[in-house]
Amino acid sequence: MITTAQITCQPLAGSYKEFVFNGPSSAEQWTWVKFEDEMYNETFGQFPGAPVVVSLSAHNDMFYVLTDSFLFEVNRDDLGKYTCYDFWDIGSTLKNVTFTPTGIAIFSNDYHIFTTNGTFESKQQIPTPLELDMIQFQGWQENSLLIHAEVFIEGRPMLLLLDATTFTISKYN
């Protein structure tokens, strides 16, 4: 089972076990991710698209690799079991992915924040207090996700908190 995953540079060819994750189209850039399992064995994954973020939780059977073109949902027990979501097919470019402390995945594009009940295909939008633009996850403070965004059209910056227990979003004072 994969216990850690981090974006890295391309390894020296033949030095490690490598796995290529295919997408529906070719990409000019590639993202390399180093995986480590519970026995400290290292494997490298090659994903189409420029790197954005990798998110993994010990409380979830899936982890996510987000590139500038695709979202990969990968099974922690078997790297060969993965789904590639093309941004054209899902209707928007994803910008952020993280896990709550209890292992629930949270995603965003520039305008909306989503959570899932299982896999990405079961995503549900989380209501926000205002229409937002340029959403950026800033990190966790205990059970709250700090989010920076701009108020849509006005371009005014706003800090928000997403409560991971109630999945409500409020303005950060």
Side-chain angles (χ1 to χ4, degrees):
M1 175 176 284
I2 300 299
T3 58
T4 65
Q6 64 183 18
I7 294 174
T8 188
C9 56
Q10 181 177 354
L12 185 61
S15 298
Y16 297 93
K17 184 177 177 182
E18 296 177 16
F19 192 90
V20 177
F21 293 80
N22 293 313
S25 62
S26 63
E28 291 182 25
Q29 293 184 317
W30 289 86
T31 296
W32 285 89
V33 177
K34 178 176 140 182
F35 307 112
E36 190 172 88
D37 65 18
E38 68 277 358
M39 300 302 291
Y40 305 104
N41 297 311
E42 295 178 345
T43 303
F44 283 76
Q46 183 180 4
F47 298 83
V52 176
V53 69
V54 174
S55 192
L56 180 143
S57 170
H59 302 289
N60 196 304
D61 292 337
M62 307 303 275
F63 68 91
Y64 294 93
V65 176
L66 180 61
T67 71
D68 67 344
S69 304
F70 306 102
L71 173 70
F72 289 86
E73 182 176 62
V74 185
N75 187 296
R76 289 180 53 220
D77 284 325
D78 183 353
L79 294 177
K81 293 181 181 178
Y82 68 92
T83 303
C84 175
Y85 297 97
D86 186 330
F87 294 162
W88 287 103
D89 294 335
I90 61 177
S92 66
T93 301
L94 295 178
K95 299 291 185 174
N96 300 281
V97 59
T98 189
F99 282 96
T100 67
T102 59
I104 298 170
I106 300 174
F107 307 88
S108 84
N109 56 24
D110 276 330
Y111 310 106
H112 305 287
I113 300 170
F114 309 93
T115 186
T116 62
N117 188 12
T119 64
F120 181 75
E121 292 208 358
S122 65
K123 68 185 180 307
Q124 301 164 346
Q125 188 173 327
I126 300 171
T128 57
L130 295 167
E131 289 189 51
L132 302 175
D133 190 11
M134 298 178 65
I135 296 169
Q136 195 62 247
F137 295 170
Q138 298 294 306
W140 288 93
Q141 296 177 351
E142 296 180 14
N143 257 356
S144 296
L145 176 62
L146 184 62
I147 301 168
H148 179 268
E150 292 189 7
V151 177
F152 190 69
I153 298 181
E154 295 176 25
R156 182 172 36 98
M158 175 179 282
L159 285 176
L160 304 164
L161 279 179
L162 183 149
D163 184 318
T165 55
T166 62
F167 289 95
T168 56
I169 297 174
S170 59
K171 294 180 187 177
Y172 182 74
N173 295 331

